[in-house]
């Protein structure tokens, strides 16, 4: 449902009033009850920004294939507003509660990223509340173009998105899937690279592409093709579990499946990829009793919150005579030619499986297909190279702590990713030195943006927020 301009204006007025109510020396933060960040942070003793009126789609222009969206609108609400028009965002991150503003400032990704890049590349213009309490409109070509390009990966340290105008794309009602098995990771890498280039596999068009690695000799690429053809579809919102449907024995004949476009976009949310198993939700006896409405990532987040608050998992481990856990919840990107090297290292070093793969490639133009779209302006806070394919590798679990070395496994991962010319997303725990962080995430460019748009330091610094966890 679209909120309309009047309701949006009311939401902006509430936001600005809440900003003015924050003391002049206090740090400005959002007053959000939910988050998709896995890094701890210090509790804010001051009132936060009230964004409660900025949680929906403002309007959809079906003819132009664009939408004006309030910054705190979740992708669940965004997709619900666009699908009736036969449209969807060009990239829809995997979890329903991720907000559009969060995906732009924190870098979302999904199975269209091999052809559509990252969510911020579909933004045409963005209204941003800066640290000084001013709302400015940034575009790829206006006086605030430096903030437009510097906003992605700034995690609210340069400002907060209030409204975003984004491109949409036409979608068909169904997605036909093929799960292609590989027993050799180098063959998977080679095939993925060819699909990114050709946009097809074995004579069929590929519109969606991601992968799942269960072990060194059992990995899959899942190829999706949009289709209007009616027919039976699978349902993975009940007893059946999506990621288990990917597995099959044959390396010659792909496993085929069909989903509605709605269920395809949210295929990972029901079981939070595979992480619902940590709560027993995949045990058939428990799953039968689990309310269907609570089979979703937002509820698992609440369980994680209880665990973090009361140290439930570590207390249970202690009773069993086991060590505490080091949380290893990360998404990293490496150039596609280093995918096998990274996976081989990870599978022999870190006892976590499955692993998610998602190829991505920056779009050729920024700011859509308009004549004045910029073809090659970089995104300085997360500098990926144009005309180069990367692979996002996602892994979300825990390993036993290493005595005397907090974050031991996460530090190993950071070093390996840097060695392979990659980057790590900053939504989770990081352990970089200030010098290494500067080199990887914008350095002097970030400081210049900070000086222009947050001269009084009302917002946290990126290193303080991502590494020091303030």
């Amino acid at each position: 449902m679209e909120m309309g301009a009047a309701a949006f204006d009311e939401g902006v007025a509430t936001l600005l009033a809440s900003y003015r109510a924050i003391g002049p020396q206090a740090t400005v933060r959002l007053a959000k009850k939910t988050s998709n960040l896995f890094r701890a942070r210090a509790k804010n003793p001051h009132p936060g920004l009230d964004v409660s009126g900025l949680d929906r789609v403002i309007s959809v222009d079906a003819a132009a294939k664009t939408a004006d969206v309030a910054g705190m609108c979740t992708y669940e609400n965004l997709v619900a507003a666009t699908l009736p028009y036969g449209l969807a965002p060009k990239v829809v991150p995997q979890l329903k509660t991720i907000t559009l503003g969060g995906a732009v400032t924190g870098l979302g990704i999904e199975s269209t990223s091999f052809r559509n890049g990252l969510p911020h590349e579909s933004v045409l213009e963005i209204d941003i509340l800066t640290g000084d309490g001013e709302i400015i409109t940034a575009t790829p070509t206006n006086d605030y173009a430096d903030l437009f390009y510097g906003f992605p990966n700034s995690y609210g340290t340069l400002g907060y998105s209030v409204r975003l105008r984004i491109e949409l794309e036409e979608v068909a009602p169904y997605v036909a899937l093929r799960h292609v098995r590989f027993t050799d990771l180098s063959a998977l890498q080679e095939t993925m690279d060819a699909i990114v280039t050709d946009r097809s596999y074995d004579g069929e068009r590929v519109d969606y592409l991601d992968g799942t690695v269960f072990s060194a000799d059992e990995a899959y690429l899942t190829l999706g093709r949009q289709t209007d053809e009616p027919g039976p579809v699978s349902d993975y919102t009940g007893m059946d579990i999506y990621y288990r449907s990917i597995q099959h024995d044959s390396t010659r004949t792909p496993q085929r499946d069909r989903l509605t476009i709605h269920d395809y976009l949210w295929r990972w949310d029901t079981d939070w990829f595979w992480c619902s198993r940590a709560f027993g939700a995949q045990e058939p006896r428990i799953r039968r009793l689990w309310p269907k409405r609570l089979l979703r990532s937002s509820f698992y987040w609440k369980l994680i919150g209880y665990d973090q608050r009361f140290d439930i998992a570590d207390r249970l481990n202690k009773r069993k005579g086991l060590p505490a856990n080091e949380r290893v919840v990360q998404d990293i990107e490496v150039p596609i030619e280093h995918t096998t090297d990274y996976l081989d290292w990870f599978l022999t070093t870190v006892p976590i499986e499955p692993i998610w793969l998602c190829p991505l490639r920056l779009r050729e133009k920024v700011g859509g297909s308009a004549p004045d779209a910029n073809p090659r302006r970089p995104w300085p806070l997360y500098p990926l190279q144009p005309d180069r394919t990367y692979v996002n590798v996602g892994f979300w679990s825990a390993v036993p702590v290493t005595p005397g070395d907090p974050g031991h496994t996460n530090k190993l991962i950071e070093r390996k990713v840097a060695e392979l010319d990659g980057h790590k997303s900053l939504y989770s725990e990081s352990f970089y030195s200030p010098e290494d962080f500067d080199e990887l995430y914008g350095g002097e460019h970030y400081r210049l943006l900070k000086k222009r748009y947050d001269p009084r330091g009302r917002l946290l610094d990126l290193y303080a927020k991502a590494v020091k966890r303030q």
Side-chain angles (χ1 to χ4, degrees), residues 286-342:
I286 296 176
R287 198 175 183 91
R288 288 190 185 94
L289 301 174
W290 199 293
K292 190 173 181 179
R293 62 185 173 83
L294 299 183
L295 283 171
R296 53 180 286 142
S297 61
S298 58
F299 182 69
Y300 307 136
W301 262 115
K302 292 180 180 179
L303 298 179
I304 287 287
Y306 290 133
D307 178 59
Q308 291 177 343
R309 183 178 177 183
F310 300 110
D311 293 326
I312 296 172
D314 286 348
R315 290 186 183 200
L316 291 174
N317 279 354
K318 188 174 182 179
R319 287 185 179 182
K320 299 175 184 176
L322 300 174
N325 287 327
E326 176 189 349
R327 189 169 56 192
V328 182
V329 177
Q330 305 285 355
D331 279 73
I332 64 95
E333 269 99 29
V334 293
I336 194 168
E337 64 269 22
H338 297 322
T339 304
T340 302
D341 291 340
Y342 182 79

Side-chain angles (χ1 to χ4, degrees), residues 166-283:
I166 63 168
E167 294 179 283
L168 305 171
E169 67 176 9
E170 294 182 7
V171 291
Y174 306 101
V175 178
L177 299 178
R178 287 176 291 171
H179 305 302
V180 184
R181 179 170 176 170
F182 295 85
T183 56
D184 179 81
L185 293 175
S186 59
L188 179 146
Q189 174 186 305
E190 182 180 346
T191 302
M192 182 163 47
D193 200 10
I195 293 172
V196 171
T197 300
D198 299 337
R199 307 279 179 92
S200 66
Y201 175 78
D202 197 25
E204 292 186 31
R205 188 183 74 250
V206 176
D207 299 314
Y208 305 97
L209 174 62
D210 64 351
T212 309
V213 178
F214 292 91
S215 66
D217 57 5
E218 186 189 1
Y220 301 85
L221 290 179
T222 295
L223 323 178
R225 175 177 56 84
Q226 294 186 32
T227 178
D228 295 310
E229 183 180 349
V233 293
S234 297
D235 181 358
Y236 297 107
T237 62
M239 290 299 295
D240 293 334
I241 297 171
Y242 172 71
Y243 83 98
R244 289 302 182 192
S245 74
I246 294 171
Q247 295 181 276
H248 60 92
D249 293 332
S250 176
T251 58
R252 293 184 294 273
T253 304
Q255 179 86 8
R256 290 187 178 261
D257 201 353
R258 280 170 49 90
L259 294 169
T260 66
I261 180 64
H262 175 276
D263 285 357
Y264 176 78
L265 293 176
W266 302 129
R267 68 201 183 282
W268 293 119
D269 190 85
T270 300
D271 284 285
W272 212 5
F273 283 83
W274 31 79
C275 297
S276 67
R277 65 185 178 183
F279 311 111
Q282 295 181 26
E283 197 342 276

Side-chain angles (χ1 to χ4, degrees), residues 64-66 90 119-125 140 148-149 165-168 363-375 379:
K65 299 180 188 174
T66 63
K90 284 184 172 288
H120 58 268
E121 296 186 87
S122 302
V123 175
L124 302 174
E125 64 181 43
F148 180 91
Y149 287 100
R165 179 168 294 166
I166 63 168
E167 294 179 283
L168 305 171
R363 294 176 65 183
E364 292 184 1
K365 289 191 174 184
V366 174
S369 55
D372 61 349
N374 192 315
W379 306 99

